[in-house]
Amino acid sequence: MLYSEIKERESRFVTTLKIVFPFLLVIAIFMYSFDIFQKNIYTTTLLTLLIFVYVYYIFYLIYNGFRTTLVDPVTKVFTLKKIISIINNLDNKDEYILVFLHISNIMDINERYGISNGDKVLKNFITRLDRFLEKNGFKNAPIGRIGGGNFIIPIQHSQKELSHLFTQFITEIKTKGINDIEVKVNTFFLNANYDEKAQNCIEHFYMMLHESEHHEKETLHIKSNDFEDIVVDAIKQNGFRFRYQPSINVKLNQIHILEVLPKIQTKNHGVLSKNQIERIINYS
């Protein structure tokens, strides 16, 4: 269970207590009033008003509880509002690093496989991320969704080591995928004391993301004459990987077309996607 889900349960439990204790108080008042006061129209009216006030109080708590949920309905991590509150209330902010994770192809996944499958990818991504954090000693690190495929995590650790650990995590996600779907993830790091307001830190992350998308574009520093060596090595090491994505005929409920997605596993450049391979071939 995610740390955010535990906190959500605690919040629901507190709401339940807020309902139960006034209920017991109302019963006590009823019993006490019937023993002490005379049973007349004034007493009955006051007790009736008390019941209406209590019922209104219950509905308010239930409505407010659903409206102020702490977790995102899809991924079950903290909502934007809650994660901002957590970051703003951190003690010793200079010891924390904000890790920003961006799934760059989530829109493509939604378009190709449907929004429901896109949501499953996000949910499974968070499950694997939570296991990764726990495995590396960051259990109960708060994860927050700040929109789309963007997540933020405040972690009390050195940026250098975090960068190394998350590089391993991203490589694993890129190599294995999620639910047989290729998932591309980018990471950015920022000290939590960059700004007093967490919202400004998030805005800075988006600026960093924008600059990265315009300047990197999956740039590969591979010389054209090295491509033959890459292919030969991939053949010898059985480094070719083939995945497919089906196109289903809704009327017949059958697979109509299979699109093959070739990849090459390399020693020096990791996994090369179809687009990267084509880019290399064009330069060869």
Side-chain angles (χ1 to χ4, degrees), residues 17-251:
L17 293 180
K18 291 180 180 180
I19 294 175
V20 171
F21 281 124
F23 175 72
L24 297 176
L25 180 62
V26 169
I27 293 178
I29 292 174
F30 263 93
M31 295 177 62
Y32 182 78
S33 62
F34 274 102
D35 290 338
I36 302 299
F37 299 104
Q38 296 181 354
K39 301 178 182 61
N40 53 41
I41 189 171
Y42 298 106
T43 304
T44 304
T45 302
L46 288 175
L47 292 176
T48 302
L49 289 174
L50 181 61
I51 292 174
F52 277 112
V53 170
Y54 176 68
V55 170
Y56 175 82
Y57 172 74
I58 292 177
F59 276 103
Y60 170 77
L61 287 179
I62 295 175
Y63 172 77
N64 192 59
F66 281 110
R67 190 181 63 174
T68 58
T69 179
L70 303 180
V71 299
D72 173 71
V74 175
T75 59
K76 303 304 179 182
V77 299
F78 287 116
T79 60
L80 173 61
K81 182 178 180 180
K82 182 60 180 178
I83 196 66
I84 286 178
S85 175
I86 291 174
I87 296 173
N88 285 336
N89 291 298
L90 288 175
D91 295 326
N92 301 321
K93 278 191 175 184
D94 57 325
E95 298 179 3
Y96 283 82
I97 298 297
L98 301 181
V99 182
F100 178 75
L101 298 171
H102 169 67
I103 301 179
S104 59
N105 65 329
I106 187 61
M107 293 184 66
D108 292 336
I109 293 174
N110 288 335
E111 291 178 359
R112 291 186 178 186
Y113 302 97
I115 295 177
S116 60
N117 286 321
D119 290 345
K120 290 179 182 178
V121 168
L122 290 175
K123 177 61 178 176
N124 290 336
F125 171 77
I126 291 299
T127 300
R128 291 172 63 170
L129 175 60
D130 185 64
R131 291 174 184 170
F132 161 78
L133 292 172
E134 183 175 353
K135 177 182 177 181
N136 289 279
F138 306 124
K139 185 178 181 180
N140 293 337
I143 308 172
R145 186 182 184 187
I146 58 178
N150 302 321
F151 302 90
I152 190 170
I153 317 168
I155 301 179
Q156 191 175 14
H157 206 70
S158 67
Q159 179 174 335
K160 183 178 180 181
E161 189 169 348
L162 284 176
S163 178
H164 173 69
L165 292 173
F166 275 93
T167 298
Q168 293 179 337
F169 173 71
I170 291 173
T171 302
E172 179 185 349
I173 293 293
K174 185 177 181 180
T175 303
K176 297 181 179 179
I178 298 177
N179 298 346
D180 292 327
I181 297 176
E182 181 183 20
V183 178
K184 301 177 183 178
V185 185
N186 298 326
T187 55
F188 303 91
F189 303 90
L190 187 68
N191 198 292
N193 65 356
Y194 170 81
D195 195 284
E196 293 182 358
K197 295 182 180 180
Q199 183 64 44
N200 293 336
C201 294
I202 293 174
E203 291 178 1
H204 183 69
F205 273 132
Y206 280 115
M207 292 175 61
M208 294 168 64
L209 175 62
H210 179 75
E211 293 177 0
S212 174
E213 289 178 343
H214 280 72
H215 289 88
E216 293 184 3
K217 295 292 184 181
E218 292 187 305
T219 301
L220 291 173
H221 301 288
I222 301 177
K223 296 180 180 179
S224 58
N225 56 355
D226 291 338
F227 179 68
E228 183 178 350
D229 295 334
I230 293 175
V231 174
V232 172
D233 185 68
I235 294 174
K236 291 181 179 180
Q237 303 297 328
N238 193 24
F240 283 92
R241 300 290 183 267
F242 295 93
R243 295 184 180 178
Y244 71 91
Q245 57 184 32
S247 176
I248 299 177
N249 189 316
V250 180
K251 294 182 179 179

